[in-house]
PDB file of all heavy atoms in Angstrom:
ATOM      1  N   ASP S 128     206.872  61.107 127.158  1.00 89.00           N
ATOM      2  CA  ASP S 128     206.471  60.008 126.264  1.00 89.00           C
ATOM      3  C   ASP S 128     207.148  60.121 124.899  1.00 89.00           C
ATOM      4  O   ASP S 128     207.341  59.102 124.223  1.00 89.00           O
ATOM      5  CB  ASP S 128     204.948  59.892 126.125  1.00 89.00           C
ATOM      6  CG  ASP S 128     204.228  61.175 125.793  1.00 89.00           C
ATOM      7  OD1 ASP S 128     204.890  62.169 125.468  1.00 89.00           O
ATOM      8  OD2 ASP S 128     202.999  61.167 125.864  1.00 89.00           O
ATOM      9  N   GLY S 130     210.301  60.820 124.445  1.00 93.00           N
ATOM     10  CA  GLY S 130     211.568  60.111 124.613  1.00 93.00           C
ATOM     11  C   GLY S 130     211.399  58.609 124.537  1.00 93.00           C
ATOM     12  O   GLY S 130     212.192  57.907 123.893  1.00 93.00           O
ATOM     13  N   ASN S 169     193.075  61.992 127.128  1.00 86.00           N
ATOM     14  CA  ASN S 169     192.285  63.225 127.177  1.00 86.00           C
ATOM     15  C   ASN S 169     192.049  63.841 125.811  1.00 86.00           C
ATOM     16  O   ASN S 169     191.602  64.994 125.715  1.00 86.00           O
ATOM     17  CB  ASN S 169     192.945  64.245 128.114  1.00 86.00           C
ATOM     18  CG  ASN S 169     192.608  63.952 129.564  1.00 86.00           C
ATOM     19  OD1 ASN S 169     191.649  63.240 129.856  1.00 86.00           O
ATOM     20  ND2 ASN S 169     193.398  64.468 130.474  1.00 86.00           N
ATOM     21  N   GLY S 184     192.662  60.722 105.349  1.00 96.00           N
ATOM     22  CA  GLY S 184     193.435  59.531 105.027  1.00 96.00           C
ATOM     23  C   GLY S 184     193.821  58.632 106.176  1.00 96.00           C
ATOM     24  O   GLY S 184     194.491  57.608 105.974  1.00 96.00           O
ATOM     25  N   LEU S 230     198.516  55.641 151.717  1.00 98.00           N
ATOM     26  CA  LEU S 230     199.495  55.913 152.762  1.00 98.00           C
ATOM     27  C   LEU S 230     199.679  57.415 152.979  1.00 98.00           C
ATOM     28  O   LEU S 230     199.814  57.882 154.119  1.00 98.00           O
ATOM     29  CB  LEU S 230     200.826  55.266 152.398  1.00 98.00           C
ATOM     30  CG  LEU S 230     200.819  53.730 152.310  1.00 98.00           C
ATOM     31  CD1 LEU S 230     202.167  53.221 151.819  1.00 98.00           C
ATOM     32  CD2 LEU S 230     200.487  53.115 153.664  1.00 98.00           C
ATOM     33  N   ARG S 273     194.380  43.184 140.724  1.00 97.00           N
ATOM     34  CA  ARG S 273     195.018  42.024 141.358  1.00 97.00           C
ATOM     35  C   ARG S 273     196.323  42.405 142.038  1.00 97.00           C
ATOM     36  O   ARG S 273     196.623  41.935 143.137  1.00 97.00           O
ATOM     37  CB  ARG S 273     195.260  40.926 140.321  1.00 97.00           C
ATOM     38  CG  ARG S 273     193.973  40.307 139.820  1.00 97.00           C
ATOM     39  CD  ARG S 273     194.217  39.232 138.777  1.00 97.00           C
ATOM     40  NE  ARG S 273     192.946  38.764 138.241  1.00 97.00           N
ATOM     41  CZ  ARG S 273     192.659  37.494 138.008  1.00 97.00           C
ATOM     42  NH1 ARG S 273     193.549  36.556 138.247  1.00 97.00           N
ATOM     43  NH2 ARG S 273     191.472  37.153 137.525  1.00 97.00           N
ATOM     44  N   ALA S 292     183.241  39.192 136.898  1.00 95.00           N
ATOM     45  CA  ALA S 292     183.664  37.814 136.640  1.00 95.00           C
ATOM     46  C   ALA S 292     184.603  37.378 137.752  1.00 95.00           C
ATOM     47  O   ALA S 292     185.831  37.410 137.594  1.00 95.00           O
ATOM     48  CB  ALA S 292     184.340  37.690 135.280  1.00 95.00           C
ATOM     49  N   PHE S 297     192.112  33.043 142.046  1.00 97.00           N
ATOM     50  CA  PHE S 297     192.882  34.214 142.465  1.00 97.00           C
ATOM     51  C   PHE S 297     192.589  34.543 143.930  1.00 97.00           C
ATOM     52  O   PHE S 297     193.510  34.829 144.712  1.00 97.00           O
ATOM     53  CB  PHE S 297     192.540  35.413 141.582  1.00 97.00           C
ATOM     54  CG  PHE S 297     192.965  36.733 142.158  1.00 97.00           C
ATOM     55  CD1 PHE S 297     194.296  37.092 142.160  1.00 97.00           C
ATOM     56  CD2 PHE S 297     192.031  37.600 142.706  1.00 97.00           C
ATOM     57  CE1 PHE S 297     194.704  38.308 142.709  1.00 97.00           C
ATOM     58  CE2 PHE S 297     192.425  38.811 143.249  1.00 97.00           C
ATOM     59  CZ  PHE S 297     193.765  39.163 143.256  1.00 97.00           C
ATOM     60  N   ASP S 316     186.952  49.771 154.909  1.00 98.00           N
ATOM     61  CA  ASP S 316     187.498  51.008 155.476  1.00 98.00           C
ATOM     62  C   ASP S 316     188.175  51.837 154.380  1.00 98.00           C
ATOM     63  O   ASP S 316     188.220  53.067 154.466  1.00 98.00           O
ATOM     64  CB  ASP S 316     188.527  50.671 156.556  1.00 98.00           C
ATOM     65  CG  ASP S 316     187.941  49.844 157.678  1.00 98.00           C
ATOM     66  OD1 ASP S 316     187.067  50.358 158.392  1.00 98.00           O
ATOM     67  OD2 ASP S 316     188.341  48.672 157.825  1.00 98.00           O
ATOM     68  N   THR S 325     182.529  52.448 131.529  1.00 87.00           N
ATOM     69  CA  THR S 325     181.523  52.019 130.569  1.00 87.00           C
ATOM     70  C   THR S 325     180.213  52.710 130.957  1.00 87.00           C
ATOM     71  O   THR S 325     180.123  53.316 132.038  1.00 87.00           O
ATOM     72  CB  THR S 325     181.326  50.493 130.607  1.00 87.00           C
ATOM     73  OG1 THR S 325     180.721  50.132 131.877  1.00 87.00           O
ATOM     74  CG2 THR S 325     182.652  49.748 130.456  1.00 87.00           C
ATOM     75  N   VAL S 369     182.644  60.752 154.099  1.00 98.00           N
ATOM     76  CA  VAL S 369     183.888  60.275 153.498  1.00 98.00           C
ATOM     77  C   VAL S 369     185.037  60.927 154.254  1.00 98.00           C
ATOM     78  O   VAL S 369     185.109  62.152 154.368  1.00 98.00           O
ATOM     79  CB  VAL S 369     183.958  60.626 151.998  1.00 98.00           C
ATOM     80  CG1 VAL S 369     185.357  60.361 151.442  1.00 98.00           C
ATOM     81  CG2 VAL S 369     182.924  59.808 151.223  1.00 98.00           C
ATOM     82  N   GLU S 379     186.077  65.472 134.687  1.00 92.00           N
ATOM     83  CA  GLU S 379     186.148  66.560 133.713  1.00 92.00           C
ATOM     84  C   GLU S 379     187.600  67.009 133.523  1.00 92.00           C
ATOM     85  O   GLU S 379     187.880  68.194 133.342  1.00 92.00           O
ATOM     86  CB  GLU S 379     185.278  67.735 134.168  1.00 92.00           C
ATOM     87  CG  GLU S 379     183.805  67.405 134.332  1.00 92.00           C
ATOM     88  CD  GLU S 379     183.123  67.038 133.026  1.00 92.00           C
ATOM     89  OE1 GLU S 379     183.650  67.400 131.962  1.00 92.00           O
ATOM     90  OE2 GLU S 379     182.064  66.376 133.070  1.00 92.00           O
ATOM     91  N   GLY S 390     199.534  79.697 135.763  1.00 89.00           N
ATOM     92  CA  GLY S 390     199.387  81.132 135.596  1.00 89.00           C
ATOM     93  C   GLY S 390     197.975  81.554 135.255  1.00 89.00           C
ATOM     94  O   GLY S 390     197.755  82.710 134.869  1.00 89.00           O
ATOM     95  N   LEU S 402     189.846  70.612 145.635  1.00 97.00           N
ATOM     96  CA  LEU S 402     191.210  70.950 146.032  1.00 97.00           C
ATOM     97  C   LEU S 402     191.266  71.757 147.324  1.00 97.00           C
ATOM     98  O   LEU S 402     192.355  71.943 147.885  1.00 97.00           O
ATOM     99  CB  LEU S 402     191.898  71.729 144.904  1.00 97.00           C
ATOM    100  CG  LEU S 402     192.195  70.927 143.638  1.00 97.00           C
ATOM    101  CD1 LEU S 402     192.671  71.838 142.514  1.00 97.00           C
ATOM    102  CD2 LEU S 402     193.223  69.835 143.909  1.00 97.00           C
ATOM    103  N   ALA S 420     206.563  51.574 132.556  1.00 94.00           N
ATOM    104  CA  ALA S 420     205.281  51.697 131.872  1.00 94.00           C
ATOM    105  C   ALA S 420     205.430  52.447 130.551  1.00 94.00           C
ATOM    106  O   ALA S 420     204.852  52.058 129.532  1.00 94.00           O
ATOM    107  CB  ALA S 420     204.272  52.403 132.772  1.00 94.00           C
ATOM    108  N   ARG S 437     201.541  45.990 107.941  1.00 96.00           N
ATOM    109  CA  ARG S 437     201.823  44.729 107.258  1.00 96.00           C
ATOM    110  C   ARG S 437     200.571  43.921 106.953  1.00 96.00           C
ATOM    111  O   ARG S 437     200.646  42.860 106.347  1.00 96.00           O
ATOM    112  CB  ARG S 437     202.766  43.881 108.102  1.00 96.00           C
ATOM    113  CG  ARG S 437     204.156  44.489 108.282  1.00 96.00           C
ATOM    114  CD  ARG S 437     205.014  43.626 109.176  1.00 96.00           C
ATOM    115  NE  ARG S 437     206.395  44.123 109.272  1.00 96.00           N
ATOM    116  CZ  ARG S 437     207.343  43.554 110.023  1.00 96.00           C
ATOM    117  NH1 ARG S 437     207.057  42.483 110.748  1.00 96.00           N
ATOM    118  NH2 ARG S 437     208.558  44.075 110.045  1.00 96.00           N
ATOM    119  N   GLU S 439     198.742  42.467 109.186  1.00 97.00           N
ATOM    120  CA  GLU S 439     198.699  41.350 110.124  1.00 97.00           C
ATOM    121  C   GLU S 439     197.556  41.536 111.120  1.00 97.00           C
ATOM    122  O   GLU S 439     197.022  42.642 111.269  1.00 97.00           O
ATOM    123  CB  GLU S 439     200.035  41.249 110.872  1.00 97.00           C
ATOM    124  CG  GLU S 439     201.230  40.977 109.975  1.00 97.00           C
ATOM    125  CD  GLU S 439     202.562  41.091 110.698  1.00 97.00           C
ATOM    126  OE1 GLU S 439     202.561  41.543 111.867  1.00 97.00           O
ATOM    127  OE2 GLU S 439     203.595  40.746 110.088  1.00 97.00           O
ATOM    128  N   ASN S 443     195.914  43.848 119.709  1.00 95.00           N
ATOM    129  CA  ASN S 443     195.353  44.751 120.723  1.00 95.00           C
ATOM    130  C   ASN S 443     194.230  45.629 120.174  1.00 95.00           C
ATOM    131  O   ASN S 443     193.994  46.724 120.671  1.00 95.00           O
ATOM    132  CB  ASN S 443     196.470  45.623 121.301  1.00 95.00           C
ATOM    133  CG  ASN S 443     197.511  44.783 122.019  1.00 95.00           C
ATOM    134  OD1 ASN S 443     197.184  43.898 122.804  1.00 95.00           O
ATOM    135  ND2 ASN S 443     198.781  45.043 121.737  1.00 95.00           N
TER     136      ASN S 443
END
Side-chain angles (χ1 to χ4, degrees):
D128 50 10
N169 279 341
L230 296 175
R273 292 179 185 222
F297 163 74
D316 301 295
T325 68
V369 169
E379 300 295 339
L402 291 171
R437 295 178 175 178
E439 298 171 352
N443 297 314

